[in-house]
Amino acid sequence: MVIYHLSTECYPIAKVGGLADVVGALPKYQNKIKGIDAKVVMPWYNKPFVHEHEFEVVFDGFIHQGSNMLQVQVMKEKTNVLGFELYMVKIPGLLDRDNPYGYQDESFQFLAFQQAILHWLCAMELKPDVLHCHDYHTGLVPFMVEHCPEFSFLQGVKTIGTIHNGEYQGMMNWNMANYMPSFDAYKWGLMDWNGFMNPLASMIKCSHAFTTVSEGYLEELFISFRGLESLVRQEFGKAYGIINGIDAEVWNPETDPMLDFNFNSKNAVAQKKKNKEKLCKEYGLNPKLPLFAFIGRFATEKGADLLPDVVWKSIKQSYGALNIMILGSGNTYIENKLKEYDYTYTNFALDLGYKEHLSHKIYASADFLLMPSRVEPCGLNQMYSMRYGTVPVVRYTGGLKDTVEDISTGGAGLNFTYPGVDDIVHAMNRAIGIYNQKGMMKELIHANMNFDFAWEKSAEKYIALYNS
Ligand code: ADP
Ligand code: GLC
């Protein structure tokens, strides 16, 4: 079975968040299953990976976008170094940029990316079996495959859509339809939601099946989905929740080259302590105190707007008996407020930016990982932290609900229900209580490290879905 994963991110080439981690790992694990040939197609960005690896041109052509003619090249990485065939779509001037997102003309970018992929696939002798679309950036592919005559060769090819984050739907004004490959006008409703072109809605309507990255998140979408609730209810017969796994080869504390002191479950307590001491020294924190960390995008869905108040309140309430470290970037108001506290409190350390190495060090060093998410479709941070023996303190929502159980009911993490400062600080106080009980932390470190979040099970579930 030949599967193409279509995505704008893929680790380690271009990563903004968890989407990259999933697309960089899932195909690799699918390829371990007999008879499966999973590949990845993504845009060609100006990233170090493309300069450090050898590529060959496998397709050279043109697409039309409105009255513009765009040159398209599909480049294949020659050695399958990532454990799958990697194809990168190069559109000079439109896709070959430094970053996946953040450009004014992103609607043009994503439309051209999707059109180019299908144009290339139509030039092949054999059709693929499955096109697996990830998030709204490739959400129009199911419509294009079935309803654009230009791609009639692909008609009938099965399409699966995975919703990693329903907060972003890619809504466009209908005048963007002029830049679509041609389609019968009466089919417009398959792309419409409330008077806008909505790629995510179209993915739900037109794919053969769609998935969310946890069961808990799927249940929530029926109630709250930025306006798409009734659509997901109507299409529930083809909806599946499949939890993400983690790439146990990349995220292995025993071999992770980004750590100062590697460890396994036998020597975790001592080695984690060394990691923590080093990190605390670097950031001027007291290694004797419990270390709480937050890693992520400063967005309201992550509850990042609550962080400044959490910092001052938890430090004040505990009389400075804890450390907090935050790694991330995003909303400038949050960044500035946190910068201010970084100057004010010696118990608080801030590192602004995206730093893959530092994130690994923090997962290995912290005692607790904070995730006050308002919305969390799956969340990978909590799984990474658990694998690195760090206790997750999470809001009970979406994928966090499915992966972290509170110690009061036999789990190895801490949950809180409401995404508010008081509830978070209360959970942190519970955590400090645990930290101060002899032997308890040790038990929790081991219990967390023993969880199995390997991709194998979920990779099988996707294959079963393709087969169905
Ligand atoms: P999301 O995709 O919504 O941001 P996930 O929990 O699925 O959330 O994945 C986030 C991924 O991005 C994790 O691999 C996490 O370690 C990483 N990450 C987030 N922010 C940073 C940062 N500032 N520096 C390094 N890695 C980060
Ligand atoms: C999204 C979600 C996150 C999920 C990731 C990978 O970015 O916000 O919860 O883990 O996709 O599926």
Side-chain angles (χ1 to χ4, degrees), residues 17-20 22 135 163-165 213 244 297 301-302 375-380:
L19 170 62
V22 171
D135 271 349
I163 303 170
H164 294 263
N165 196 338
V213 285
N244 289 332
R297 297 180 282 118
E301 72 203 70
K302 296 283 175 196
V375 181
E376 197 60 82
C378 176
L380 299 173

Side-chain angles (χ1 to χ4, degrees), residues 27 63 73 91 176 194 218 224 239 359 385 410 443:
I63 56 168
Q73 278 186 328
I91 303 184
M176 283 304 291
N194 281 341
L218 179 58
S224 168
S359 76
S385 81
E443 241 177 72

Side-chain angles (χ1 to χ4, degrees), residues 231-337:
L231 177 62
V232 80
R233 274 184 232 141
Q234 188 181 315
E235 300 283 0
F236 80 96
K238 58 175 188 181
Y240 302 83
I242 302 180
I243 191 87
N244 289 332
I246 62 173
D247 190 335
E249 289 162 24
V250 175
W251 295 91
N252 182 353
E254 208 163 5
T255 53
D256 188 337
M258 302 184 208
L259 300 190
D260 294 308
F261 304 98
N262 289 99
F263 57 94
N264 53 36
S265 59
K266 288 198 192 96
N267 60 7
V269 175
Q271 294 293 92
K272 270 181 77 70
K273 192 167 168 235
K274 284 198 215 162
N275 280 306
K276 180 179 171 184
E277 280 166 356
K278 181 147 193 288
L279 187 75
C280 284
K281 194 166 175 218
E282 228 167 280
Y283 284 88
L285 301 170
N286 176 355
K288 295 218 166 64
L289 299 175
L291 174 59
F292 291 82
F294 173 95
I295 300 172
R297 297 180 282 118
F298 292 169
T300 43
E301 72 203 70
K302 296 283 175 196
D305 50 309
L306 304 167
L307 289 173
D309 282 355
V310 166
V311 169
W312 77 256
K313 196 157 193 172
S314 62
I315 292 177
K316 197 168 142 213
Q317 269 197 7
S318 68
Y319 299 103
L322 84 176
N323 292 310
I324 307 179
M325 170 150 196
I326 292 180
L327 166 65
S329 59
N331 179 298
T332 37
Y333 174 78
I334 302 174
E335 287 190 1
N336 289 337
K337 199 76 202 154

Side-chain angles (χ1 to χ4, degrees), residues 15 17-18 21 296-297 302 327-328 353-355 363 379-381 384:
K15 170 167 166 178
D21 290 358
R297 297 180 282 118
K302 296 283 175 196
L327 166 65
Y354 185 90
K355 302 184 178 173
Y363 289 122
L380 299 173
N381 296 20
Y384 297 147

